[in-house]
Coordinates of all heavy atoms in Angstrom, one line a residue:
L375 N 7.6 -27.3 7.7 CA 7.1 -28.6 7.1 C 8.3 -29.6 7.1 O 8.1 -30.8 7.2 CB 6.7 -28.3 5.6 CG 5.4 -27.6 5.5 CD1 5.1 -27.3 4.0 CD2 4.2 -28.4 6.1
R376 N 9.6 -29.1 6.9 CA 10.7 -30.1 7.0 C 10.7 -30.8 8.3 O 11.2 -31.9 8.4 CB 12.0 -29.3 6.6 CG 12.2 -29.1 5.1 CD 13.7 -28.6 4.9 NE 14.0 -27.4 5.4 CZ 13.8 -26.2 4.9 NH1 13.3 -26.2 3.6 NH2 14.2 -25.1 5.4
T377 N 10.5 -30.0 9.3 CA 10.5 -30.6 10.7 C 9.4 -31.7 10.9 O 9.6 -32.5 11.9 CB 10.5 -29.5 11.8 OG1 9.2 -28.9 11.8 CG2 11.5 -28.5 11.6
T378 N 8.4 -31.7 10.1 CA 7.3 -32.6 10.3 C 7.2 -33.7 9.2 O 6.2 -34.3 9.1 CB 5.9 -31.8 10.3 OG1 5.8 -31.2 9.1 CG2 6.0 -30.8 11.4
K379 N 8.3 -33.8 8.5 CA 8.2 -34.7 7.3 C 8.0 -36.2 7.7 O 7.5 -37.0 7.0 CB 9.4 -34.6 6.4 CG 10.8 -34.9 7.1 CD 12.0 -34.6 6.2 CE 13.3 -34.9 6.9 NZ 14.4 -34.6 6.0
N380 N 8.5 -36.5 8.9 CA 8.4 -37.9 9.4 C 7.3 -38.1 10.5 O 7.3 -39.1 11.2 CB 9.7 -38.4 10.0 CG 10.9 -38.4 8.9 OD1 10.6 -38.8 7.8 ND2 12.1 -38.0 9.3
I381 N 6.4 -37.1 10.6 CA 5.4 -37.1 11.6 C 4.0 -37.1 10.9 O 3.8 -36.3 10.0 CB 5.5 -35.9 12.6 CG1 6.9 -35.8 13.2 CG2 4.4 -35.9 13.6 CD1 7.1 -34.6 14.1
E382 N 3.1 -37.9 11.4 CA 1.8 -37.9 10.9 C 1.0 -36.8 11.8 O 0.7 -37.1 12.9 CB 1.1 -39.2 11.0 CG -0.3 -39.2 10.5 CD -1.0 -40.5 10.7 OE1 -0.4 -41.5 11.1 OE2 -2.3 -40.6 10.3
L383 N 0.8 -35.7 11.2 CA 0.1 -34.6 11.9 C -1.3 -35.0 12.4 O -2.0 -35.6 11.6 CB 0.1 -33.3 11.1 CG 1.4 -32.7 10.9 CD1 1.3 -31.5 9.8 CD2 2.1 -32.1 12.2
P384 N -1.7 -34.6 13.5 CA -3.0 -35.0 14.0 C -4.1 -34.1 13.5 O -5.0 -33.5 14.2 CB -2.9 -34.8 15.6 CG -1.9 -33.7 15.7 CD -0.9 -33.9 14.6
V385 N -4.2 -34.0 12.2 CA -5.2 -33.2 11.5 C -5.8 -34.0 10.3 O -5.3 -35.0 9.9 CB -4.7 -31.9 11.0 CG1 -4.3 -31.0 12.1 CG2 -3.5 -32.1 10.1
G386 N -6.9 -33.5 9.7 CA -7.5 -34.2 8.6 C -8.7 -35.0 9.1 O -9.0 -35.2 10.3
W387 N -9.5 -35.5 8.1 CA -10.7 -36.2 8.3 C -10.4 -37.7 8.0 O -9.5 -38.0 7.2 CB -11.9 -35.8 7.5 CG -12.3 -34.4 7.9 CD1 -12.0 -33.2 7.2 CD2 -13.3 -34.0 8.9 NE1 -12.6 -32.2 7.9 CE2 -13.4 -32.6 8.9 CE3 -13.9 -34.7 9.9 CZ2 -14.3 -31.9 9.8 CZ3 -14.8 -34.1 10.8 CH2 -14.9 -32.7 10.7
S388 N -11.1 -38.6 8.7 CA -10.9 -40.1 8.4 C -12.2 -40.7 8.3 O -13.2 -40.3 8.9 CB -10.0 -40.7 9.5 OG -10.0 -42.1 9.4
L389 N -12.3 -41.8 7.6 CA -13.4 -42.6 7.5 C -13.3 -43.9 8.3 O -14.2 -44.7 8.3 CB -13.7 -43.1 6.0 CG -13.9 -41.9 5.0 CD1 -14.1 -42.4 3.6 CD2 -15.1 -41.1 5.4
E390 N -12.3 -44.0 9.1 CA -12.1 -45.2 10.0 C -12.7 -44.8 11.4 O -12.5 -43.8 11.9 CB -10.6 -45.4 10.2 CG -9.9 -45.8 9.0 CD -10.3 -47.1 8.4 OE1 -10.8 -48.0 9.2 OE2 -10.2 -47.3 7.2
R391 N -13.6 -45.7 11.8 CA -14.4 -45.4 13.1 C -13.5 -45.3 14.3 O -13.8 -44.5 15.2 CB -15.4 -46.5 13.3 CG -16.5 -46.6 12.3 CD -17.4 -47.7 12.6 NE -18.5 -47.8 11.6 CZ -19.7 -47.1 11.7 NH1 -19.9 -46.4 12.9 NH2 -20.6 -47.1 10.9
D392 N -12.4 -46.1 14.3 CA -11.5 -45.9 15.5 C -10.5 -44.8 15.5 O -9.8 -44.6 16.5 CB -10.7 -47.3 15.6 CG -11.6 -48.5 15.8 OD1 -12.7 -48.3 16.3 OD2 -11.2 -49.6 15.4

Side-chain angles (χ1 to χ4, degrees):
L375 288 175
R376 281 195 294 270
T377 65
T378 61
K379 61 183 178 182
N380 297 321
I381 303 175
E382 182 182 358
L383 292 171
V385 294
W387 294 96
S388 173
L389 298 179
E390 300 293 333
R391 292 178 178 273
D392 297 334

